[in-house]
Amino acid sequence: MNPILASGTTRPRRDLADLGALYVRDKAKLVGLRIAPVFRVDDKAGRYYRRSNRDMRIGSGPRAPGTGFQRINFEIQEDTYNTAQYPLESPVPREIGEEFGDLFDVQGAAAEGVTYNLMLWHEQRVCGKIFNNTNFPNSGDTGKASAAAFNVPTTKTIAEINAAREKIMALTGQEADTIVMHYSRYLALGQNEEIRATVGVRHNDQVNMQAILTAERLAGIYGVRQVIVSDRVYNSSTSGAVTLTPLVPENEIFVAYVGQSPNPQVEPCLMRTLAWTADGGEFDAETVADDLNRQDLVRVLQNTDEKIINTGCGFRITGA
């Protein structure tokens, strides 16, 4: 049972923050931080620096005695950010805590619930920026319309993905490492003739492809590090009604170079979640005693700005 503090007392709860972060990472099937990893910043607003494309493809050739070294000019570009705080809270009546506290951690369960909703909206902000015709038009360097939908069994999806990979390589010198798709397209690929032939079950309709075609297996077929599959929805209504909208559009595929380092100065990369460490960062939690109503408020918050770092590191396929 948690101690009862004086009304209005705010108590930092790193334990709840860690519990919520673990839940989001392992159980909630949220993917926002896999697309836009965290880069921590010391100020709420300011400038950050990102690696240029121009100095990434200069190689080292043979050097004659007495001559200079081949030189790479370390080029970085400047951009600005401005984080915002995103908070949520859930009241936990003390009667509930007393009744069920011996069975499970009531405040921990509340923290998991509000953490899920907090990070769901982080994911909405991330997906809203990449599945976006202003940031990534479906023509030219940033996208294309698919020759046929990915849920049609005869579609040559490998060629579509390779076209995106080639464009990212040409623009940035980086090998695409990530594909983002909706769960319905992932399921449909189990019946794709080209994929089935690649796996080796073209002529066996009885094979349960869902037991074979994992996201990891699909990543290997497409030649990327990870295939991110999302089935999450959010309420997109602003009128009080419930309108459930997929975070990842069902008929779009996004190919990207996410990168391995959280620091955008190291290499060109798609996107980062800039998190202000002094006030919530990527995720924090606290409890507030509310004696008037005999309850404790479980609060979670983050202070972030989701920034596209390099549009050349992403390619959006529509009509997929």
Side-chain angles (χ1 to χ4, degrees):
M1 185 177 70
N2 295 296
I4 297 177
L5 305 176
S7 187
T9 300
T10 299
R11 180 187 177 197
R13 294 295 301 275
R14 190 67 248 171
D15 59 324
L16 294 182
D18 291 343
L19 182 66
L22 185 67
Y23 172 74
V24 167
R25 187 189 69 196
D26 294 342
K27 298 179 182 179
K29 296 194 290 185
L30 297 174
V31 301
L33 290 177
R34 295 172 64 189
I35 301 170
V38 170
F39 177 60
R40 298 179 179 89
V41 293
D42 295 328
D43 300 306
K44 181 186 184 303
R47 297 176 297 179
Y48 74 96
Y49 301 93
R50 59 191 182 192
R51 192 70 183 270
S52 166
N53 298 343
R54 290 191 294 270
D55 63 349
M56 297 301 293
R57 286 178 281 180
I58 299 174
S60 175
R63 173 180 170 269
T67 62
F69 278 53
Q70 179 72 35
R71 177 172 296 181
I72 296 177
N73 294 319
F74 185 79
E75 295 189 31
I76 57 175
Q77 298 169 334
E78 180 181 304
D79 199 359
T80 61
Y81 71 92
N82 187 3
T83 67
Q85 187 186 96
Y86 299 96
L88 280 176
E89 67 180 20
S90 177
V92 178
R94 290 173 185 160
E95 296 91 337
I96 299 296
E98 291 291 346
E99 182 176 0
F100 297 104
D102 291 337
L103 301 176
F104 64 94
D105 182 354
V106 178
Q107 289 191 358
E112 288 183 349
V114 288
T115 298
Y116 175 81
N117 282 281
L118 182 75
M119 298 309 295
L120 184 73
W121 283 92
H122 168 267
E123 189 157 321
Q124 189 275 333
R125 296 192 298 274
V126 170
C127 291
K129 289 188 175 182
I130 64 171
F131 293 100
N132 181 304
N133 203 52
T134 299
N135 297 332
F136 295 94
N138 65 338
S139 62
D141 290 338
T142 57
K144 69 184 294 289
S146 178
F150 275 40
N151 62 347
V152 175
T154 55
T155 299
K156 303 297 185 183
T157 67
I158 295 176
E160 297 283 354
I161 297 297
N162 283 345
R165 295 172 61 195
E166 289 169 4
K167 183 63 72 173
I168 292 171
M169 174 63 77
L171 291 175
T172 69
Q174 304 296 89
E175 177 68 53
D177 62 0
T178 299
I179 298 171
V180 185
M181 67 176 62
H182 189 269
Y183 183 65
S184 66
R185 288 303 181 264
Y186 165 68
L187 291 179
L189 286 171
Q191 298 304 316
N192 180 273
E193 294 176 3
E194 181 183 49
I195 299 297
R196 292 176 70 89
T198 303
V199 174
V201 294
R202 177 199 294 256
H203 302 295
N204 190 341
D205 292 336
Q206 302 305 312
V207 171
N208 179 8
M209 282 292 288
Q210 294 314 308
I212 298 174
L213 192 64
T214 63
E216 292 77 15
R217 186 75 176 269
L218 194 57
I221 293 171
Y222 286 139
V224 296
R225 175 172 59 87
Q226 59 179 351
V227 169
I228 295 175
V229 179
S230 172
D231 63 355
R232 301 293 88 179
V233 296
Y234 72 103
N235 183 11
S236 59
S237 173
T238 59
S239 63
V242 176
T243 303
L244 298 181
T245 302
L247 288 165
V248 172
E250 292 188 49
N251 64 340
E252 296 190 17
I253 304 289
F254 199 86
V255 183
Y257 180 71
V258 171
Q260 298 291 318
S261 172
N263 189 342
Q265 298 174 27
V266 172
E267 59 185 358
C269 57
L270 174 69
M271 194 172 183
R272 290 295 178 263
T273 298
L274 276 66
W276 183 28
T277 56
D279 185 43
E282 65 267 31
F283 184 72
D284 205 356
E286 62 190 27
T287 53
V288 180
D290 178 11
D291 286 349
L292 180 62
N293 296 298
R294 301 196 71 249
Q295 63 186 3
D296 296 296
L297 303 177
V298 175
R299 290 177 170 173
V300 297
L301 67 151
Q302 61 180 181
N303 208 312
T304 62
D305 187 3
E306 294 74 29
K307 294 286 294 187
I308 294 174
I309 305 299
N310 192 318
T311 55
C313 288
F315 195 88
R316 175 172 155 256
I317 304 173
T318 60

